[in-house]
Amino acid sequence: MEKITIYHTNDIHSQLSYWPRIARYLTQEKQRLMSKKETVYVFDDGDATDRVHPLTEATNGKAIAELLHDGSYDAVTIGNNEGIGNTKDQLNDLFSEARYEVVVSNLKDKETNSRPDWAREIILLETNGGHTFALVGLTIPLPMSYDSLGWNVEDPFDVLDELVRTYRNKVDGFILLSHLGLPTDREIAERYPEVLVIMGGHTHHLLPEGEMIEGTLIAGAGKFGTHIGKITLEYGKDNQILMTAEVIDVRSQVDPVPDEHVDMNELYRIGNRMLEHEVLGEMNHPLNKEQVAEPNLISLTLAAMTSLSETNIAVVNTGLFLESLPKGLINRRQLHEVLPHPMRVVEVSMNGNSLRRLLNQMEQQREKLKILPVKGYGFRGKIFGDLYFQGIEKNKEGIYINGKELDQNRQYKLITVDYFLYVPFFPELQAQASVRIISPDFLRTIVGNYIAHQTSNLLDEREESS
């Protein structure tokens, strides 16, 4: 007989309000069970980091990766916030000081076609009672984003096919750290009886007692660190296994740590101070987030986006801009508050007919979108807002691109943010096959670099005139 306990978290998203009590609880429970000679593991299923937190932004997630040590984690996988919320160099450095294992079974370096040094394809777990499990980690495949960052993200079912075929006769079962979402977790449970347990994330599902499908136990602990998942595997004398799942509400079931909110607020302030120290440039006039006058923040952002491409036609939504920029020195904290969204800039190639249909779709929904509350897909604002164009004019006479009437047979390249490809408002945009991310940096970094370049030119001109 043997009892195995697994604690798991997912989708913390750098929400640290309850982190001190989570970390203490996990560490104490692990020590308690180990003192009884029981097998215990602590895992995280991805999206522990999120650049919405200033300390995550300032340290490229490394501060959160370090905090996980306080929770005595044995292994983690990555979510989209780690995988595509960082450039390739940043992700390669994220876990460089980690004392826990990182298992990502479906990610390879595009240049070498090899797994990165910081990631394991599979981990063989040997329990005190002599059972062996294969620990697998799968992150959601977002090929366009991963490809632009220099990664090959593989289909999770192709990967599972190979791993199950290779290890099924060497282990007692598979344990999956999944950042694929609940619908995919359910499909895996239906297709792979060898997978005993799936701890899932990405869709922020909270499963208080788990979900059993075809003999596979699916678990999920919600989001933002409000719950800890607990799974128990008990082997009987005949080696039959009983699997149960529960969740622990850390808000009511875990004792708080003294001054935990003070300590976590201090981490927020530390992150902001670090960002404030990184000055990007100096503006000799304020940039309003509204279209009240030129220049404004929206037109500057469009100019920054198109500076990365050969085209100068672009569109953004005004809901992206949460704050205005004042006159004077501009630092990274301000850009983080203005544009907190994890969005990248894309170039979409389309013919004149497609562009006309897209602009008509935008015009038909324009009034609705101005006041429409939206969330998800990385959007951190409140409403979608108005549409604002560069190089495109639509009036009663027709559509004009850079002052010339739109040519239905010509190929155009439109610059926008990847968010526009995910929201359900512009099907014509989503139907385009030729889309590329034109920079590994987020929109706010592109805007910050543009400000730095523009003000650098101004300073050079001042020095030359003097």
Side-chain angles (χ1 to χ4, degrees), residues 376-392:
Y377 305 107
F379 183 72
R380 312 294 193 194
K382 294 181 179 180
I383 61 170
F384 187 87
D386 200 1
L387 291 162
Y388 199 87
F389 298 92
Q390 176 180 295
I392 299 173

Side-chain angles (χ1 to χ4, degrees), residues 73-114:
Y73 283 81
D74 294 288
V76 307
T77 194
I78 66 169
N80 45 288
N81 272 273
E82 290 88 10
I84 63 174
N86 294 289
T87 65
K88 187 176 184 180
D89 287 343
Q90 290 166 351
L91 181 54
N92 278 332
D93 186 50
L94 179 60
F95 300 107
S96 61
E97 299 173 26
R99 298 189 297 276
Y100 44 82
E101 298 282 5
V102 183
V103 54
V104 192
S105 310
N106 64 326
L107 188 71
K108 290 183 178 178
D109 189 305
K110 193 166 70 172
E111 293 180 7
T112 64
N113 199 36
S114 299

